[in-house]
Amino acid sequence: SRSFILVKTLENLSYGMKIKIVGFDPIHENIECLKSAKVEYLISQQPYNQGYRAVYSIHEILIHSPLELRPTPVEILCIENVSSHGYA
């Protein structure tokens, strides 16, 4: 989740944009790096949704077992779609 630190480190080492960076977690600093094209993609793991589904799954197992597997969706953010996902 600290992709922005990698960006700063590579800039300090004069690597510039020679290395493509894919990060995760759309925190403010990472979003800024994405918007300025220093990060190619960010993967949003939707932590609230993951936590909710974990608790819901425990409930389902205890009450209704067996559990139907439901993958947790992720969002792949890039400079073209970051604004449409609500990251201004």
Side-chain angles (χ1 to χ4, degrees), residues 1-4 6 20-26 30 34 39-45 75-77:
S1 69
R2 304 283 187 235
S3 302
F4 66 96
L6 179 59
K20 307 287 185 192
I21 300 172
V22 176
F24 61 95
D25 292 340
N30 289 347
L34 180 67
V39 169
E40 294 290 317
Y41 299 97
L42 287 174
I43 299 171
S44 174
Q45 301 175 73
E75 294 175 327
I76 299 175
L77 305 174

Side-chain angles (χ1 to χ4, degrees), residues 8-67:
K8 288 180 185 178
T9 301
L10 291 174
E11 287 175 340
N12 289 340
L13 294 173
S14 300
Y15 278 92
M17 299 309 296
K18 297 176 188 175
I19 298 174
K20 307 287 185 192
I21 300 172
V22 176
F24 61 95
D25 292 340
I27 62 174
H28 175 74
E29 295 89 346
N30 289 347
I31 292 292
E32 292 304 313
C33 288
L34 180 67
K35 288 180 176 180
S36 64
K38 295 178 181 177
V39 169
E40 294 290 317
Y41 299 97
L42 287 174
I43 299 171
S44 174
Q45 301 175 73
Q46 302 178 359
Y48 177 83
N49 191 18
Q50 284 184 353
Y52 174 83
R53 285 184 173 221
V55 172
Y56 180 81
S57 294
I58 292 169
H59 169 264
E60 288 295 303
I61 289 170
L62 294 174
I63 304 299
H64 303 289
S65 68
L67 177 68

